[in-house]
DNA sequence: GAGGGAGGTAATCGAATGATTACTAGGGAG
DNA sequence: CTCCCTAGTAATCATTCGATTACCTCCCTC
């Protein structure tokens, strides 16, 4: 296989592993196993584990920006409310991956690491900028949209779906995202 | 010193370390140094690093519940909006610690670990329940309040204050929490 | 069919880290 | 004084993990 394709494969595998265990908790060996290659090869392809994580983050934010841009471009005449729904749906689709948004979440709370922190901040700001300029959200609308997203990520990250038999947890999950409630449960139960 | 007091001291130190580096990234040695004791003593006091982290989480959520309850009890006749402001202020005060809410955030994204995940979910649900029952928030009000909190935690976690010279970042930080903007910057610059 | 470059692996190393063990200072009770 | 319990530490162990080194094996070209 060409090294370029293998790279993409490894990044995909790494996204799942980093999303599951976080930057420090993930091992290059777990990534290698998930990608079906040897551990030294993973390290040599990216140089360091950190570089691999940064590659994952770049792909994650690229995907986020691409998908959001597609929604915006597909609805040139939509008002904010319509756009909010469309972008919310796109976010839900991205959530189905779990690794993507959770890798970003892990980066967001790892701001103390210089390289990861800088990448995380740039990623967050690029999404915020997209909402402000291209989607024409007000600052408050963008803030609320992103806050809602952080909440959704948190639900998935802590596997709140495992508590779905608790009426309080069910109410919370349904309220956070009615259309994604089933997905949250499934993502919590998986694996 | 009595072992009981020493325990509290170590938990306080551990909260800062776990908030800074996360559960996996934090070392018992760093906690020990921060608390001014030896590394084996930290381990022996709590049995395992995980038990120490769980102790930190319990103290964090206790503090959160205590402070929120105090605000609610101090404003028995307040409407939702007044209560929201009061609780938001209390949240800002808790944020000043950084270790407290960031330790919780790290737990939220570490849901795949059985013990940590269960504790994290219980913690989140207990806060949600408090808002719903004692503060009489609607599900939507509680959701929005918590979503806003997750967003604030994220800003602190990724040290967004470091980008405060970027007008976009400044707008975002000011918009997320005007009264805590300076704090976010200070927490990002500290250490 | 010889050579070499691309795409890998096996073996191993060194550092970090959670945990364990064995030891010790000190002060209060009898 | 002496015993012993509480509150610790120093030394060390076993593992894990990222990284390095050396090697292998196709396939393509000449």
């Amino acid at each position: 296989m060409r090294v370029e394709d293998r790279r993409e494969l490894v990044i995909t595998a790494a996204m799942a592993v980093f999303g599951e265990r976080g930057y420090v908790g993930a091992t290059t060996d777990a990534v290698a196993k998930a990608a079906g290659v040897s551990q030294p090869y993973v390290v040599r392809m990216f140089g360091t584990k950190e570089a691999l994580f940064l590659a994952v983050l770049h792909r994650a934010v690229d995907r986020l920006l691409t998908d959001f841009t597609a929604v915006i471009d597909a609805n040139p005449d939509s008002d904010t409310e319509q756009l909010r729904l469309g972008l919310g749906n796109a976010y839900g689709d991205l959530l189905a991956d779990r690794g993507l948004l959770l890798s970003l979440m892990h980066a967001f709370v790892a701001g103390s690491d210089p390289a990861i922190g800088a990448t995380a901040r740039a990623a967050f700001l690029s999404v915020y900028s997209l909402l402000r300029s291209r989607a024409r959200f007000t600052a408050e609308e963008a803030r609320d949209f992103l806050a809602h997203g952080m909440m959704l990520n948190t639900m998935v990250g802590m596997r709140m779906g495992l508590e779905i038999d608790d009426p309080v947890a069910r109410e919370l999950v349904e309220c956070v995202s009615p259309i994604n409630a089933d997905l949250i449960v499934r993502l919590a139960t998986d694996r």
Side-chain angles (χ1 to χ4, degrees), chain A:
Chain A
M1 185 181 294
R2 281 175 310 179
V3 69
E4 180 186 339
D5 298 339
R6 184 72 75 183
R7 252 186 89 92
E8 296 304 300
L9 216 80
V10 171
I11 290 179
T12 300
M15 200 147 83
V17 175
F18 281 123
E20 187 79 10
R21 310 200 208 172
Y23 169 60
V24 188
T27 66
T28 54
D29 192 57
V31 172
K33 280 187 170 55
V37 298
S38 68
Q39 179 264 341
Y41 195 41
V42 170
V43 172
R44 222 188 36 189
M45 249 190 297
F46 294 88
T48 63
K49 175 179 159 181
E50 182 171 80
L52 169 59
F53 188 50
L54 295 180
V56 166
L57 294 180
H58 278 117
R59 176 192 276 193
V61 70
D62 276 357
R63 178 86 189 280
L64 200 56
L65 293 174
T66 302
D67 286 16
F68 276 11
T69 301
V71 171
I72 295 167
D73 288 347
N75 302 289
D77 305 324
S78 292
D79 60 20
T80 293
E81 181 56 19
Q82 289 174 309
L83 221 44
R84 212 176 52 74
L85 287 173
L87 293 174
N89 282 334
Y91 200 86
D93 292 344
L94 288 172
L95 208 58
D97 194 321
R98 189 167 70 178
L100 192 145
L101 289 172
L102 286 188
S103 288
L104 282 174
M105 277 306 272
H106 280 289
F108 291 159
V109 294
S112 56
D113 180 289
I116 296 175
T119 304
R121 292 189 292 274
F124 201 96
L125 287 175
S126 68
V127 177
Y128 179 73
S129 290
L130 187 80
L131 294 177
R132 288 284 284 125
S133 56
R134 308 238 11 214
R136 303 184 180 284
F137 279 23
T138 66
E140 286 75 18
E141 285 164 351
R143 174 198 62 191
D144 292 346
F145 182 85
L146 290 172
H148 197 222
M150 293 303 105
M151 181 85 162
L152 253 175
N153 294 347
T154 305
M155 292 295 114
V156 176
M158 76 172 89
R159 272 74 174 165
M160 189 57 89
L162 291 176
E163 311 288 338
I164 202 64
D165 291 336
D166 177 350
V168 176
R170 174 171 285 277
E171 177 191 285
L172 172 60
V173 169
E174 297 272 2
C175 177
V176 166
S177 182
I179 61 171
N180 290 313
D182 290 345
L183 177 62
I184 292 173
V185 173
R186 195 166 57 68
L187 289 178
T189 321
D190 268 8
R191 200 162 336 177

